């Protein structure tokens, strides 16, 4: 057994020995550099867009309920907020995945149509709904799922003034709740003790080195791609002989299911390829050497293929589920997502020398 | 390859400089030995022992994935207990990793992943499933004969699906976490989520039931335990019900008091994602540590006041055990860490052990 002092001498000696034959150590270790680039080029811009979209959502609720905005514009604000939220799924490291914040933004899967029942029950019990009432209410009614229900459900007609009066307090409070929640999350990213700093300066209380930060980014990215399989597979009744279940899809009322999957994929791809501007080309892709060129090509192709499939579908998910040809094209999309998932979980993780961990999903 | 080696050396340098602050005062100057189950990147299973300074004592391939490790109180051997529904456990010489015995569970029994040696070193007690009556909790009693464990008899766990068991400070009373879940042979699938019966049981070494207590939420599986030197028992739960339900994920039985919820801040309870893994108590510092791998979080509390001492993100955190300075924590994804808890401000240091792939529990000897 080497004593500590001897050990450090031995290490110094071997380091000195290395210096002649090896290239000089790069200024920033590659994993730390990749984590920093992803933070500035992909994560912070996406969190900022989400915060902006939720501010616009709150503004839209106020304008719509004051009669200064039409329903089409209100729906557009919702779609923008939900799209920005979907884009965060592969980037949900830190505060978003801690506690029950994600449930407060979106309640999915909603197997029993809880959103319809709980919205009705809440407004029957509290017609003059105040912000504090919503904060105390179930997560089912606090987020975008309830907001979408109000704007798109066939049983609600917001052109009818009486109904508008009934539902506007909930639109307004959800808008404010989402705006405050997004602002709180963004604040947790910024500042001296913020997550952005922890993804850029090592070691810290969260990550002891750049490799751990990249491992965390990859783990969340892989989990999100797996989640997209679930989002498509559940309404498809994939793996069972049951009928398709269009109402198990996320955002089925607004017909945005596939667009949301694509928004998530776009973020996953940005992590892989690197963000725009200054951080261009500094994605996880850049951590693979020349000997991994084949893997790089296959992951590039898998993203391109999957996203092209979505673009080619041309109809909302619920319409595609209704006939055999539509279901076949959705099955093909599922298989593309599955390939993309396995490339990341298996070959990419291995090529990066990253372990994705197993205690979280395979404990005892 | 070169880059990995180089990074490793850089890490070694850091660790070596930090080691200077360690209290290695263990006579021979050896750092504590960490025992754990671990995988390799291809998913093969190992029983491993590493000194906390990073030197490898042994890593021996085993057929079944193991769960807890039971060091012998005096001899250099340990039982690596098969994870449910394994029918094998491995008795290993901790000096060199020599496999002394592959312990087979009796017919119609499988291991549940936990066991304890009696302080005298002659007897071992393991939690097991009676697969003819799935879920009926059995405590297998084994006698150490030379370098072999022989089945002697069995006791009832007085509950369903027993998981971890430990000694009370008298060394004669067992505390058992009956998880309450029925599973069949060769299966990890719960059969009775609508009729779970978790419980915390105290029993004498001869099997006599001393007490059996339950928490209010029946789907809240009592799974892991730690016992302080004053007899305080803490349990960590895994909740099988709705993600939105508010249930006590940590519970405590202080001496002379009933088994009850350990008060948690709501933010912490939520951060656990309804799942706790390993529990450890530092009796001298009166601290409680729990890993919550689904929430990727490590917690340390003051055992007496319940005050939060540490609430820190740690990806896929796994085993935790008390050491002189505080706690050592392992992870399936990240590096192992040492938390020095002797000062008001807890200090973390990454250990120079192989990173990631560490399985659920660890023991220090």
């Amino acid at each position: 057994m080497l004593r500590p002092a001897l050990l450090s001498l031995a290490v110094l000696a071997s380091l000195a020995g290395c210096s002649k034959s090896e290239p000089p150590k790069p200024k920033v270790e590659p994993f730390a550099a990749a984590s920093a680039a992803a933070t500035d080029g992909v994560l912070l811009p996406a969190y900022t867009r989400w915060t902006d979209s939720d501010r616009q959502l709150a503004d839209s609720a106020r304008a719509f309920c004051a009669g200064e905005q039409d329903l089409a514009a209100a729906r557009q604000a919702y779609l923008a907020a939900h799209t920005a939220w979907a884009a965060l799924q592969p980037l949900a490291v830190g505060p978003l995945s801690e506690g029950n914040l994600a449930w407060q933004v979106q309640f999915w899967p909603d197997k029993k149509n809880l959103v319809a029942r709980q919205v009705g029950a809440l407004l029957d019990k509290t017609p003059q709904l105040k912000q504090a009432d919503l904060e105390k209410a179930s997560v089912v009614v606090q987020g975008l799922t309830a907001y979408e229900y109000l704007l798109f459900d066939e049983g609600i007609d917001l052109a009818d003034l009486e109904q508008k009066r009934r539902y506007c307090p909930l639109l307004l409070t959800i808008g404010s709740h989402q705006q405050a929640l997004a602002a709180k999350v963004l604040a947790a990213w910024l500042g001296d003790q913020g997550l952005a700093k922890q993804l850029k300066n090592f070691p810290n209380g969260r990550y002891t080195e750049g490799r751990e930060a990249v491992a965390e980014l990859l783990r969340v990215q892989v989990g999100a791609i797996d989640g997209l399989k679930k989002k498509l597979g559940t309404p498809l009744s994939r793996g069972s002989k049951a009928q398709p279940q269009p109402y198990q899809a996320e955002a089925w009322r607004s017909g945005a299911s596939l667009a949301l999957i694509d928004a998530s994929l776009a973020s996953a791809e940005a992590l892989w390829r690197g963000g725009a501007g200054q951080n261009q080309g500094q994605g996880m892709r850049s951590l693979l050497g020349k000997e991994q060129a084949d893997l790089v090509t296959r992951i590039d192709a898998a993203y391109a293929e999957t996203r092209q499939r979505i673009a080619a579908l041309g109809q909302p998910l619920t319409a595609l589920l209704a006939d055999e040809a539509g279901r076949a094209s959705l099955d093909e999309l599922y298989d593309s997502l599955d390939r993309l998932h396995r490339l990341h979980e298996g070959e990419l993780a291995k090529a990066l020398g990253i372990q994705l961990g197993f205690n979280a999903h395979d404990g005892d | 390859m070169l880059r990995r080696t180089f990074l490793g050396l850089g890490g070694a340098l850091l660790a070596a400089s930090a080691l200077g602050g360690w209290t290695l005062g263990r006579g021979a100057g050896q750092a504590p030995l960490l025992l754990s189950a671990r995988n390799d990147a291809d998913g093969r299973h190992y029983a491993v022992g590493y000194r906390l300074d990073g030197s490898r004592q042994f890593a021996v391939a085993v057929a079944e994935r193991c769960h807890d490790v039971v060091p012998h109180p005096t001899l250099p051997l340990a039982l690596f207990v098969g994870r449910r529904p394994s029918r094998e456990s491995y008795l290993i010489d901790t000096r060199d990793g020599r496999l002394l015995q592959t312990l087979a569970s009796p017919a119609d029994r499988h291991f549940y992943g936990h066991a304890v040696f009696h302080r005298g070193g002659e007897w071992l007690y393991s939690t097991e499933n009676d697969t003819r009556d799935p879920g009926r909790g059995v405590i297998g009693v084994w006698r150490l004969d030379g370098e072999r464990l022989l089945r002697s008899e069995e006791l009832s766990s007085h509950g369903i699906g027993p998981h971890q068991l430990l000694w009370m400070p008298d060394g004669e009373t067992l505390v058992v976490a009956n998880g309450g879940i029925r599973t069949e042979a060769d299966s990890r699938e719960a059969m009775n989520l609508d009729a779970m019966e978790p419980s915390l049981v105290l029993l004498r070494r001869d099997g006599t039931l001393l007490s059996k207590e339950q928490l209010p939420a029946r789907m809240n599986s009592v799974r892991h335990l730690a016992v302080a030197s004053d007899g305080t028992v803490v349990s960590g739960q895994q909740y099988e019900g709705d993600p939105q339900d508010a249930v006590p994920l940590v519970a405590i039985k202080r001496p002379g008091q009933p088994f009850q919820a350990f008060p948690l801040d709501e933010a912490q309870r939520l951060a656990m994602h309804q799942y706790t893994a390993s529990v450890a108590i530092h009796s001298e510092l009166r601290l409680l540590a729990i890993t919550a791998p689904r929430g990727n979080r490590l917690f340390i509390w003051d055992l007496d006041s319940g005050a939060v001492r540490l609430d820190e993100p740690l990806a896929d955190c796994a085993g935790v055990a008390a050491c002189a300075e505080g706690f050592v924590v392992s992870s399936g994804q990240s590096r192992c860490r040492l938390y020095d808890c002797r000062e008001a401000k807890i200090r973390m240091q990454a250990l120079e052990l192989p990173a990631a792939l560490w399985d659920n529990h660890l023991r220090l000897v």
Side-chain angles (χ1 to χ4, degrees), chain B residues 87-326:
Chain B
R87 294 172 181 276
E88 285 186 359
S89 293
Y90 308 95
L91 189 64
I92 282 172
D93 186 322
T94 55
R95 290 168 300 187
D96 54 11
R98 194 161 52 98
L99 178 63
L100 302 174
Q101 180 190 11
T102 297
L103 191 65
S105 62
D108 304 314
R109 302 283 181 271
H110 70 67
F111 293 109
Y112 267 134
H114 290 272
V116 282
F117 267 113
H118 181 243
R119 57 186 169 173
E122 187 181 3
W123 301 97
L124 178 120
Y125 298 79
S126 61
T127 50
E128 298 169 12
N129 189 6
D130 175 356
T131 53
R132 281 174 312 179
D133 178 6
R136 185 181 78 86
V138 169
I139 295 176
V141 184
W142 307 76
R143 190 170 62 81
L144 184 67
D145 179 16
E147 293 183 342
R148 297 188 72 76
L149 282 161
L150 306 174
R151 183 70 158 200
S152 170
E153 57 171 326
E154 59 185 42
L155 313 172
S156 168
S157 83
H158 302 280
I160 291 171
H163 196 62
Q164 189 166 17
L165 80 174
L166 287 175
W167 293 110
M168 295 300 284
D170 65 6
E172 299 295 324
T173 305
L174 285 163
V175 54
V176 185
N178 282 304
I181 299 176
R182 293 186 190 274
T183 50
E184 292 180 283
D186 305 322
S187 168
R188 292 172 56 80
E189 198 73 36
M191 303 162 66
N192 65 329
L193 288 183
D194 53 346
M196 285 173 56
E197 287 179 46
S199 63
L200 184 82
V201 155
L202 290 177
L203 74 159
R204 275 203 210 101
R205 199 153 71 87
D206 63 7
T208 312
L209 177 68
L210 296 175
S211 68
K212 177 170 181 168
E213 294 175 88
Q214 298 189 303
L215 294 169
R218 284 303 163 88
M219 291 180 94
N220 203 12
S221 183
V222 183
R223 298 198 75 75
H224 292 113
L225 301 168
V227 178
S229 56
D230 70 341
T232 299
V233 179
V234 173
S235 71
Q237 275 73 248
Q238 296 172 1
Y239 184 61
E240 301 288 339
D242 195 279
Q244 311 299 333
D245 294 346
V247 297
L249 293 171
V250 183
I252 190 162
K253 181 173 175 59
R254 298 187 191 274
Q257 291 187 27
F259 182 45
Q260 57 194 293
F262 182 81
L264 294 180
D265 290 351
E266 184 63 0
Q268 291 184 328
R269 191 190 62 74
L270 287 168
M272 293 176 176
H273 291 203
Q274 306 290 44
Y275 189 95
T276 63
S278 294
V279 185
I281 286 176
H282 196 300
S283 283
E284 290 70 39
L285 297 173
R286 297 293 291 173
L287 294 174
L288 165 67
I290 290 186
T291 56
R294 295 215 174 135
N296 297 300
R297 236 166 162 83
L298 168 72
F299 299 96
I300 300 176
W301 297 268
D302 183 299
L303 185 61
D304 297 313
S305 71
V308 183
R309 290 289 309 278
L310 184 90
D311 173 355
E312 186 156 279
L314 176 51
D316 208 52
C317 46
V320 57
C323 61
E325 300 87 341

Side-chain angles (χ1 to χ4, degrees), chain A:
Chain A
M1 174 103 13
L2 288 173
R3 292 285 168 83
L6 286 176
L7 183 61
S8 35
L9 279 177
V11 169
L12 281 174
S14 56
L15 281 176
C18 287
S19 62
K20 275 176 193 165
S21 53
E22 286 186 12
K25 193 178 176 184
K27 242 183 167 173
V28 183
E29 180 271 312
F31 282 82
S35 175
T39 304
D40 289 337
V42 180
L43 294 146
L44 282 176
Y47 276 86
T48 307
R49 275 194 294 277
W50 174 55
T51 312
D52 290 346
S53 75
D54 274 347
R55 195 180 56 244
Q56 285 156 12
L57 184 76
D59 288 346
S60 162
R62 282 188 287 270
F64 175 74
C65 290
E68 296 159 4
Q69 190 181 72
D70 63 15
L71 182 60
R75 286 176 165 179
Q76 207 49 51
Y78 152 77
L79 287 170
H82 205 150
T83 305
W85 166 248
L88 288 190
Q89 301 314 301
L91 315 176
V93 291
L96 256 197
S97 57
E98 294 156 12
N100 72 340
L101 284 184
W103 284 101
Q104 291 182 42
V105 181
Q106 181 185 12
F107 187 77
W108 185 86
D110 183 9
K111 290 181 185 157
K112 301 173 191 160
N113 199 16
L114 284 183
V115 69
R117 278 193 277 156
Q118 294 207 12
V119 163
L122 176 71
L123 292 177
D124 288 345
K125 193 178 132 217
T126 325
Q128 308 295 323
L129 189 77
K130 300 281 187 300
Q131 197 65 42
D133 301 320
L134 185 83
E135 309 298 333
K136 280 184 294 189
S138 153
V139 292
V140 177
V141 298
Q142 286 179 333
L144 296 174
T145 308
Y147 203 94
E148 184 210 27
Y149 167 74
L150 298 176
L151 292 188
F152 288 90
D153 194 80
E154 283 183 353
I156 295 177
D157 178 11
L158 293 176
D160 178 284
L161 276 183
E162 185 128 346
Q163 291 202 36
K164 195 172 177 181
R165 259 198 298 275
R166 172 172 161 85
Y167 292 112
C168 260
L170 187 53
L171 278 180
L172 290 164
T173 50
I174 293 174
S176 298
H177 185 73
Q178 294 302 311
Q179 184 183 1
L181 188 153
K184 193 172 97 179
V185 170
L186 186 62
W189 273 81
L190 305 172
D192 246 15
Q193 306 291 319
L195 188 56
K197 197 158 188 192
Q198 291 180 315
L199 285 163
K200 291 159 73 172
N201 299 288
F202 308 99
N204 56 67
R206 197 178 277 262
Y207 309 115
T208 65
E209 57 190 8
R211 182 178 288 273
E212 287 191 358
V214 173
E216 182 83 335
L217 293 172
L218 181 64
R219 182 179 67 77
V220 172
Q221 183 196 31
V222 166
I225 298 173
D226 195 28
L228 296 181
K229 284 163 58 185
K230 191 178 164 202
K231 286 181 175 177
L232 191 58
T234 306
L236 263 176
S237 294
R238 183 89 185 184
S240 85
K241 293 208 172 78
Q243 289 294 306
Q245 305 179 72
Y247 306 133
Q248 301 291 311
E250 71 170 339
W252 62 269
R253 290 181 172 91
S254 58
S257 315
L258 292 169
L260 296 177
I261 289 177
D262 193 55
S264 294
L265 272 178
S267 284
E269 186 172 8
L271 272 185
W272 161 247
R273 291 186 192 273
Q278 205 184 348
N279 303 103
Q280 208 158 10
Q282 289 194 62
M284 290 185 192
R285 200 175 182 276
S286 68
L287 291 170
L288 298 182
K290 285 200 181 72
E291 70 282 6
Q292 305 286 354
D294 173 60
L295 178 61
V296 169
T297 307
R298 282 185 293 135
I299 296 178
D300 281 348
Y303 272 112
E305 186 211 309
T306 312
R307 298 195 63 195
Q308 277 160 17
R309 278 191 195 284
I310 296 179
L313 287 171
Q315 293 180 73
L317 180 67
T318 42
L320 292 162
L321 285 170
D323 69 70
E324 204 161 313
R327 287 196 295 276
S329 54
L330 291 172
D331 270 323
E332 284 170 4
L333 173 60
Y334 185 96
D335 292 337
S336 295
L337 283 170
D338 189 45
R339 279 192 293 277
L340 190 66
H341 178 233
R342 279 186 285 123
L343 277 171
H344 282 73
E345 186 184 41
E347 292 184 63
L348 177 58
K350 192 160 191 175
L352 292 173
I354 282 173
Q355 305 306 330
L356 293 174
F358 50 88
N359 293 287
H361 54 82
D362 198 14
D364 205 357

